[in-house]
């Protein structure tokens, strides 16, 4: 597995590849939670590239198999997206990407939201020490779970 930290805004080819991965990954989550109105499934290449934050991409040779995107604040990091290609799921890629984010936290809290009924994602976060904080119903009626990994500082 090779990891890189490019900015999809700087490369239209890369933005298309990340968007393709995003759509495939979030389609799996949409099936799990029974709702295909997830914002990442509505996003286009320009919206993806316009987002300003940090990225780490996982490559298996020349194939993009996973990505994580997060934003940073003084007190915490917020994971905005964690996506794994369906053919690459259950290979430890999500754990490896999550580890990259936690390493960048430098003792700050790490926050994430995921579909409440996305059992594989919730299990991944709990396996890595994230604690459930709340379930929230967001318009238009999608339930999400908020989880946090306490900072060490």
């Amino acid at each position: 597995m090779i990891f890189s930290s490019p900015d999809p805004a700087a490369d239209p080819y890369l933005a298309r590849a990340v968007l393709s991965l995003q759509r495939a990954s979030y389609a799996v989550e949409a099936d799990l939670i029974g709702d295909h109105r997830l914002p990442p499934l509505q996003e286009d290449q320009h919206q993806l590239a316009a987002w300003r934050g940090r990225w780490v991409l996982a490559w298996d040779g020349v194939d993009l198999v996973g990505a994580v995107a997060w934003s940073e604040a003084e007190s915490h990091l917020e994971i905005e997206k964690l996506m794994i290609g369906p053919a690459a799921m259950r290979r430890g890629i999500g754990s490896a990407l999550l580890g990259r984010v936690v390493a960048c936290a430098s003792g700050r809290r790490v926050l994430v939201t995921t579909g409440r009924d996305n059992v594989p994602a919730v299990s991944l976060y709990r396996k890595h020490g994230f604690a459930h904080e709340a379930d929230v119903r967001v318009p238009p009626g999608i339930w999400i779970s908020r989880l946090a990994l306490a900072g060490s500082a």
Side-chain angles (χ1 to χ4, degrees):
M1 195 67 41
I2 298 169
F3 296 97
S4 65
S5 298
D7 180 357
D11 182 347
Y13 169 79
L14 183 62
R16 283 191 301 275
V18 172
L19 183 61
S20 178
L21 173 70
Q22 177 173 296
R23 287 183 175 157
S25 178
Y26 281 94
V28 172
E29 180 173 9
D31 288 342
L32 288 169
I33 69 170
D35 198 319
H36 286 261
R37 296 173 294 168
L38 299 175
L41 290 176
Q42 312 310 315
E43 198 170 55
D44 65 24
Q45 181 179 331
H46 300 291
Q47 291 165 314
L48 181 136
W51 181 79
R52 305 310 320 143
R54 296 191 55 193
W55 290 90
V56 171
L57 308 181
W59 302 87
D60 186 1
V62 296
D63 297 322
L64 179 61
V65 293
V68 63
W70 71 95
S71 57
E72 295 191 33
E74 188 174 318
S75 64
H76 67 279
L77 272 62
E78 178 98 23
I79 297 172
E80 305 290 340
K81 301 175 185 183
L82 176 61
M83 50 191 132
I84 309 301
M89 290 179 175
R90 311 275 187 267
R91 291 182 18 203
I93 298 165
S95 289
L97 289 169
L98 190 55
R100 297 283 178 135
V101 176
V102 171
C104 290
S106 301
R108 293 174 283 178
R109 282 174 33 107
V110 180
L111 307 172
V112 67
T113 57
T114 190
R116 180 187 66 185
D117 298 325
N118 184 350
V119 175
V122 171
S123 296
L124 171 72
Y125 294 121
R126 288 193 173 177
K127 173 178 143 185
H128 289 279
F130 283 72
H132 180 266
E133 289 193 331
D135 289 331
V136 179
R137 188 175 181 183
V138 293
I142 298 171
W143 282 96
I144 60 169
S145 289
R146 183 151 186 89
L147 299 106
L149 179 65
S152 60

